[in-house]
Amino acid sequence: INKRITLRVALCGECQVGKTSLMLRASGRPVPEKYIPTVGIDTGTYRCQANNFYVTIKMWDVSGDARFHCIARNFFRDSSFILFCFDLSRPETFHGVKYYVKKVSEASGGKSYTSCVVGIKKDEVAESLNTTPFKEYAESISASYYEVDTNEESDVICLMHSIAKDGVSGGIFQYDDPCESEDDETVA
């Protein structure tokens, strides 16, 4: 394998749905026990292999706070992959997914991107929760659908590898400069 690519991935959704926990866990960084709101944007990186490529996933954790929506547009526009996140234990946060699908569409200006809908906190979900509407909506916007527990490393790794595979298949990525190197990235 000698092809190195970068996927720029924006994580968006309402406040407190688990975007930061997902990004931190994928980046190999500790997840705080108490909620700490994201101020603007936080970043993380994950590396893996997919479809005969070395893939660097550069994540932009976009704050769900309305005060930061003006800067979020730039990250949506510059992303090749969007994670529309919601909290499975609070199904009403799924309305935020629909809101962000609209905002990302406006910001992208017709530019193509790959996306997935991610239900976070699957460990806290009620057994009676009907996830069919979430899956159907994801399908209606041509997005993959995943449910993860950010406390389970295997869930996060599976999601990151799926993003890499979907991103490579989508063909919307940037080839890396072979002279650049980043030493602080997680490789799996």
Side-chain angles (χ1 to χ4, degrees):
I1 301 175
N2 61 2
K3 300 174 194 169
R4 298 181 182 274
I5 62 168
T6 297
L7 291 174
R8 292 190 171 132
V9 179
L11 288 76
C12 59
E14 292 184 3
C15 293
Q16 298 186 33
V17 297
K19 301 179 301 290
T20 301
S21 295
L22 176 59
M23 188 268 308
L24 290 172
R25 182 78 62 202
S27 300
R29 295 171 19 212
V31 177
E33 289 185 30
K34 289 186 176 182
Y35 173 70
I36 301 171
T38 300
V39 177
I41 304 289
D42 196 1
T43 61
T45 305
Y46 183 87
R47 283 187 162 180
C48 63
Q49 295 178 21
N51 299 9
N52 207 28
F53 286 88
Y54 286 115
V55 181
T56 299
I57 299 173
K58 292 193 176 185
M59 294 170 280
W60 294 324
D61 171 18
V62 179
S63 174
D65 190 320
R67 295 178 297 166
F68 302 107
H69 286 180
C70 58
I71 63 170
R73 279 182 64 84
N74 297 328
F75 291 92
F76 298 153
R77 183 191 64 231
D78 294 340
S79 295
S80 55
F81 203 109
I82 308 288
L83 297 185
F84 297 106
C85 302
F86 72 103
D87 180 345
L88 284 162
S89 69
R90 296 183 297 134
E92 66 276 9
T93 62
F94 187 74
H95 295 293
V97 168
K98 295 178 180 181
Y99 169 82
Y100 280 102
V101 165
K102 180 180 174 195
K103 290 299 176 189
V104 168
S105 179
E106 291 169 0
S108 69
K111 180 184 136 208
S112 295
Y113 59 89
T114 307
S115 63
C116 68
V117 174
V118 182
I120 303 175
K121 303 181 188 177
K122 79 174 185 182
D123 56 312
E124 298 177 23
V125 70
E127 288 183 30
S128 61
L129 179 65
N130 178 9
T131 59
T132 302
F134 308 145
K135 295 172 184 174
E136 288 175 347
Y137 181 76
E139 187 177 331
S140 76
I141 61 167
S142 301
S144 301
Y145 177 81
Y146 300 97
E147 294 177 2
V148 299
D149 171 358
T150 58
N151 296 311
E152 292 294 328
E153 186 177 22
S154 59
D155 277 10
V156 175
I157 289 171
C158 181
L159 176 62
M160 290 296 113
H161 283 258
S162 295
I163 290 168
K165 184 179 174 187
D166 290 352
V168 169
S169 298
I172 307 166
F173 51 78
Q174 171 185 332
Y175 283 98
D176 288 350
D177 181 343
C179 298
E180 292 181 13
S181 175
E182 295 183 33
D183 297 326
D184 63 342
E185 297 168 344
T186 303
V187 180

